[in-house]
């Protein structure tokens, strides 16, 4: 084994078998975590095309490898206003499923202060006491040395009516499956 491979192997063992890599980002002063398994790639900000009639938090669409990909502004979705276009703001391309029987698609998320990755054990995230049906994408929380971190559930980001607007039914899905 080469020296870099030994270091990579040792680093993987240090993270622990149950620990998973997460990308941290902020909305205002609050910290959130995306499971790296949901992320296809992380890019700098790009120009996008507007989507007339979409909610204000749908920033638009970008072209990625020949396909149109919807882009969500996470700050706007959370009610904190539009994202700040600074160097630490990133565009994360995530694998969005939207339901157990739906096709995986790319969805772009504009994330502020998305410059740090950490390993967390998924079992350390605990349910929170709030039931916010308007923000089903907000998952359990954990506390670390820097305060609270809340998980974001990628597959719960879009309400059914927005999912139907951004991802019209494909051949493998009926219109009823998309509306659910």
């Amino acid at each position: 084994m080469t020296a870099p491979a030994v270091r990579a192997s040792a680093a993987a063992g240090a993270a622990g078998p149950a620990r998973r890599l997460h990308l941290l980002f902020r909305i205002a002063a609050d910290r959130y975590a995306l499971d790296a398994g949901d992320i296809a790639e992380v890019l700098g900000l790009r120009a996008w095309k507007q989507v007339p009639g979409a909610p204000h938090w749908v920033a638009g669409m970008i072209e990625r490898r020949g396909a149109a990909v919807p882009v969500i502004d996470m700050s706007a979705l959370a009610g904190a206003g539009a994202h700040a276009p600074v160097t630490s703001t990133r565009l994360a391309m995530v694998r969005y499923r939207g339901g157990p029987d739906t096709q995986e698609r790319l969805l772009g998320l504009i994330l502020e202060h998305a410059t740090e990755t950490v390993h967390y054990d998924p079992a350390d995230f605990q349910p929170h006491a709030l039931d916010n049906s308007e923000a089903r994408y907000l998952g359990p929380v954990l506390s670390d040395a820097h305060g609270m971190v809340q998980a974001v559930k990628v597959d719960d980001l879009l309400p059914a009516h927005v999912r139907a607007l951004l991802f019209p039914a494909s051949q493998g899905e009926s219109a009823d499956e998309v509306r659910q």
Side-chain angles (χ1 to χ4, degrees):
M1 221 182 249
T2 65
V6 169
R7 282 195 297 273
S9 176
R19 295 171 71 81
R20 295 184 53 86
L21 185 65
H22 290 78
L23 174 64
L24 294 182
F25 67 97
R26 290 185 179 271
I27 298 174
D30 297 323
R31 295 185 314 143
Y32 297 88
L34 274 177
D35 187 315
D38 290 331
I39 301 172
E41 64 184 323
V42 177
L43 309 166
L45 286 181
R46 304 282 195 269
W48 51 78
K49 179 207 170 300
Q50 299 298 311
V51 178
H56 72 280
W57 45 267
V58 174
M61 304 278 279
I62 65 165
E63 185 276 328
R64 191 75 185 143
R65 296 187 177 105
V69 177
V71 176
I72 304 302
D73 185 334
M74 290 298 292
S75 293
L77 176 62
H83 69 279
V86 297
T87 57
S88 64
T89 301
R90 302 282 191 264
L91 178 61
M93 304 302 289
V94 298
R95 296 174 186 94
Y96 175 77
R97 289 169 229 43
D101 299 326
T102 58
Q103 171 187 344
E104 180 179 287
R105 297 175 170 136
L106 281 181
L107 177 65
L109 303 181
I110 300 171
L111 309 173
E112 290 188 29
H113 304 286
T115 58
E116 182 182 0
T117 57
V118 294
H119 284 94
Y120 290 131
D121 184 335
D124 290 341
F125 284 93
Q126 300 299 314
H128 54 82
L130 302 175
D131 181 16
N132 187 349
S133 62
E134 296 301 313
R136 295 177 327 152
Y137 59 91
L138 293 178
V141 298
L142 67 73
S143 291
D144 65 11
H146 304 288
M148 285 186 113
V149 177
Q150 188 160 26
V152 171
K153 300 180 293 183
V154 169
D155 292 341
D156 290 335
L157 278 166
L158 303 177
H161 71 284
V162 177
R163 184 172 59 244
L165 172 70
L166 300 179
F167 298 116
S170 65
Q171 288 180 321
E173 300 170 325
S174 70
D176 289 336
E177 287 173 324
V178 171
R179 278 194 289 271
Q180 291 178 6

